[in-house]
Amino acid sequence: MNVIRCDQQEYMVWKWRPEGQTVNSTSRENAIRWGSQLRVKDGEVAVFVYSQKNGPMQDFITGPYDGTISTANLPVLASIVGTLWGGESPFQAEVYFINIQLNNQLRFGVPYFDVFDPRLPDHGVPMAVRGVLTFNIKDYMGFIKLNRLQDFDHDTFKRQISSALAKHVRQVVTNLPMDSNLPVVQLERRLDIVNDALTPRLAEQLENVFGVQLRSLDVSDLEIDKTSPYYLELRELTAGITAETMKAQRDVNIKNMKDTQELNIHNMEETLRIQREEAQRAQRLQTETQFMGAHALDQQTTVLKAGAESLGQMGQMGGGGDGGGGGGMNAAGMMTGMMMGGAMGQQMAGMMNNMGQYWQQGQQAAPPPMPGVQFFIAVGGQQAGPFAPEQLPQLVQNGTLTMQTLVWKQGMPQWAAASTVPELAPLFAPPAGAVPPPIPGV
């Protein structure tokens, strides 16, 4: 009896043969005895191909399965196996195993081809591409129609798709620098763009032409021929542009920093100038305000002095009616002088009164006295205050401040009970007359 199974590691389609037989060597490899053991692992499909009066037939058994071949799993055996061998004669069938596991991996490589940089479209830089294809046979019935039932391993599949794979890789990688405006030397760092552009193209052809489903495409390496003279020229150009860009950016940054510093210095100088002028103006106004009274008194004194001089000359006006220059008394001049003297006296008194009021206002405008000592008190574990001494009696009245209340003022090393502070002791003393005197003796 035979055990029909597949122990191959990497295959896509594998034809079973008895142990010790090579494929397509004798007809014995197709002779399967009634009662043979069939084992199909998970991720496999066993295909029985045999002839019938109506033509070739196929039976598919999907794993996992482990059992004896019988009419339960191969119904046609009842009509194939005759009575010549007593129900134990062999029947002719080819058995193939198809690998339907999800993750079949195939490494690929596309040899050097020229890629052109957008900046130097006439300078082809040699580049090779390597990666891994992950695929599976989703429709195994469609797959064997496209590829026929025969030994079909990964190397065969690789040779089958190599031309199509190389064509799509070259098209995508060659056009990518122009389409995405990417320098060739930067493609090595943008494998994600290469994968995204290549996957949909390759997936469609693998499914429609070769009967497999592309699960993922991982381009792992874009290798540039760094000995190529065009690559060296492109590298020098890229490095030069990068250096010039960095230098220009550095110069711009330094200029911006200097401009900012100069602007800050100018703003600071302007601010200081304005503050200085404002301070001088305030001082000048203050000085003018302080000496306004004295200045007014000087002006009024000058006016009075001129008036007194004029008064002294009035006594000579109209004297000597006969023109002889006699020294007789002039009554009109005397009356005028008396009137002028009274007016000047009133004006002088007003000046003195205004000066007194001005000095009094100056005294009233003096700054107020310094505030007295202020106390903080502890209420419910929280700090309250500060309170002026004149506010404390009200706090004692409403019970907020007691003899045991903790208080503090500036100069005290720590909080202390109010009864221990000398300044607060009078607050808790009973008022005069509130305590009766001692009862006099008999």
Side-chain angles (χ1 to χ4, degrees), residues 301-355:
T301 303
T302 303
V303 172
L304 292 176
K305 181 178 178 182
E309 291 177 355
S310 299
L311 181 60
Q313 296 174 0
M314 284 182 182
Q316 301 175 4
M317 293 175 58
D322 56 359
M329 186 176 74
N330 188 339
M334 184 177 297
M335 292 297 295
T336 302
M338 291 175 65
M339 291 172 64
M340 289 290 296
M344 291 173 60
Q346 291 180 1
Q347 189 172 359
M348 184 65 73
M351 289 170 53
M352 298 302 295
N353 187 26
N354 290 338
M355 285 297 295

Side-chain angles (χ1 to χ4, degrees), residues 223-244:
E223 181 183 349
I224 298 177
D225 182 6
K226 296 183 178 180
T227 62
S228 168
Y230 286 160
Y231 168 78
L232 297 176
E233 183 177 351
L234 184 62
R235 183 69 179 175
E236 183 179 358
L237 174 63
T238 303
I241 292 176
T242 303
E244 290 296 328

Side-chain angles (χ1 to χ4, degrees), residues 375-385 387 391-407 415 418 424 427-428:
F375 286 88
F376 292 87
I377 66 174
V379 180
Q382 300 293 327
Q383 173 183 309
F387 298 101
Q391 296 175 291
L392 298 180
Q394 182 64 33
L395 298 179
V396 173
Q397 262 188 352
N398 59 30
T400 303
L401 178 61
T402 66
M403 298 179 66
Q404 291 77 27
T405 302
L406 295 177
V407 299
W415 292 75
L424 303 182
L427 295 175
F428 307 106

Side-chain angles (χ1 to χ4, degrees), residues 109-177:
V110 179
Y112 287 108
F113 57 95
D114 286 343
V115 182
F116 299 90
D117 193 279
R119 297 167 297 176
L120 297 174
D122 298 329
H123 289 52
V125 178
M127 179 176 290
V129 181
R130 282 183 285 273
V132 176
L133 282 174
T134 302
F135 64 95
N136 71 302
I137 301 175
K138 184 177 181 181
D139 180 9
Y140 52 83
M141 293 185 182
F143 179 78
I144 61 177
K145 289 181 180 179
L146 291 172
N147 298 282
R148 294 190 306 163
L149 275 172
Q150 58 185 355
D151 275 1
F152 195 86
D153 57 16
H154 285 178
D155 290 338
T156 305
F157 180 65
K158 183 177 180 179
R159 289 193 298 270
Q160 190 181 65
I161 69 170
S162 60
S163 297
L165 179 62
K167 178 187 70 174
H168 288 295
V169 168
R170 288 193 182 106
Q171 286 179 348
V172 169
V173 177
T174 301
N175 295 325
L176 192 59

